[in-house]
Amino acid sequence: MWSRAFFLFVTAFFVIMNVLLWRAEIAGRNNIGSPVPLETVWQKMITAPDQSALEIRHHGKKLGFCRWIPTIGERKDVDGAVQGDSPEGMAKETMGYDIDVSGNVALDQQNRLRFTFDLRLATNSAWQDFSVRLNLRPSQWEVHSTASQKKLRFVTDDGMRRRERVFTYDDLRNPDKILRELGGPLLPGLLALVGLPLDVKQLTAQASHFKWEARNDWLTMGNARIRVYRLRLNLVDRYEISVLVSRVGEILKVELPDDIVLVNEALISF
């Protein structure tokens, strides 16, 4: 009698569990492509507990590597100690977010471009400070701006001479003038030939059409399927940018035009 009751209990348990799993699977499939607030995904990306290590590929060939490292800024005491170092249980006060992106790309067999991008955000995700650095020996380029100063600093160094220019945000309203100063009189004309507008109103009008959208999706890893977010940005014509983000904010895959793909190192073996 006890053995029969035990057998019925085990059978009922597995039947119920399979029904629940089946319902969860079907419900998940019905949610494929359902929209998600973009702010929700972005908040997960800038507060992700781990960095995203990405391999850069072009037409399937490895060209380089980069890392996306988000950090939560916390208030410091008068003596410089971070409140996060206080005894366990005390609330931490978030002061902002920092995003560091660094890596390198092989341009050919001899030349490798190294890059860094640093972005500091306020608690409402408004940018406060950013800098971009490119290093292609012996040349270096740097762009830096602070929102409160409303200025853009541009530095070039060819290994023999260092040049620095500072532009105000009002100067940026005339990109034609800036391009002439940085690249010579022919640069604006060359950009116009390839279809890049140099009028601020035209640039603003085109940028207004570039809107990110976030949706639920699935990613297959071997025999397993995991829930992810998919971010998409439609560019001109048929081009688009697609980003797969895990449920905790880690970047899993980035697809760019011209078959440029960034793949998380955790997915390389799959």
Side-chain angles (χ1 to χ4, degrees), residues 18 72 77 115 128 140 152 186 205 222 262:
N18 277 277
I72 300 177
D77 297 330
F115 58 87
Q128 294 182 321
Q140 298 181 23
L152 183 74
L186 296 180
L262 284 68

Side-chain angles (χ1 to χ4, degrees), residues 39-100:
E39 295 77 10
T40 299
V41 183
W42 176 246
Q43 189 67 22
K44 289 178 178 291
M45 293 176 65
I46 62 178
T47 59
D50 299 313
Q51 61 178 288
S52 301
L54 304 166
E55 182 179 288
I56 303 175
R57 300 176 179 176
H58 185 222
H59 296 300
K61 180 181 178 181
K62 179 180 178 180
L63 292 184
F65 194 82
C66 76
R67 294 183 183 276
W68 165 285
I69 307 175
T71 306
I72 300 177
E74 298 171 1
R75 180 182 294 277
K76 294 183 178 180
D77 297 330
V78 177
D79 58 0
V82 179
Q83 284 190 355
D85 297 332
S86 57
E88 184 176 359
M90 294 186 63
K92 302 177 182 179
E93 183 176 358
T94 299
M95 297 300 297
Y97 309 95
D98 295 309
I99 299 174
D100 299 322

Side-chain angles (χ1 to χ4, degrees), residues 150-154 164-168 171 181:
K150 297 184 178 181
K151 293 181 180 180
L152 183 74
R153 185 169 63 94
F154 186 80
E164 180 174 341
R165 295 298 307 273
V166 177
F167 302 99
T168 66
D171 295 332
E181 293 183 11

Side-chain angles (χ1 to χ4, degrees), residues 112-180:
R112 183 170 291 272
L113 175 67
R114 292 173 171 81
F115 58 87
T116 61
F117 171 71
D118 302 315
L119 175 65
R120 184 159 53 90
L121 304 172
T123 53
N124 62 353
S125 291
W127 78 274
Q128 294 182 321
D129 184 277
F130 81 87
S131 62
V132 180
R133 299 180 183 87
L134 303 177
N135 188 333
L136 182 61
R137 296 180 180 178
S139 300
Q140 298 181 23
W141 300 267
E142 179 180 351
V143 178
H144 178 264
S145 181
T146 302
S148 59
Q149 297 180 356
K150 297 184 178 181
K151 293 181 180 180
L152 183 74
R153 185 169 63 94
F154 186 80
V155 180
T156 61
D157 190 339
D158 59 7
M160 299 181 61
R161 182 181 178 184
R162 186 177 186 274
R163 301 178 181 178
E164 180 174 341
R165 295 298 307 273
V166 177
F167 302 99
T168 66
Y169 285 4
D170 289 334
D171 295 332
L172 299 181
R173 299 180 182 275
N174 189 359
D176 182 88
K177 177 182 178 181
I178 295 177
L179 291 173
R180 289 179 183 275

Side-chain angles (χ1 to χ4, degrees), residues 26-40:
I26 294 300
R29 290 181 179 178
N30 290 336
N31 286 331
I32 292 178
S34 59
V36 179
L38 183 61
E39 295 77 10
T40 299

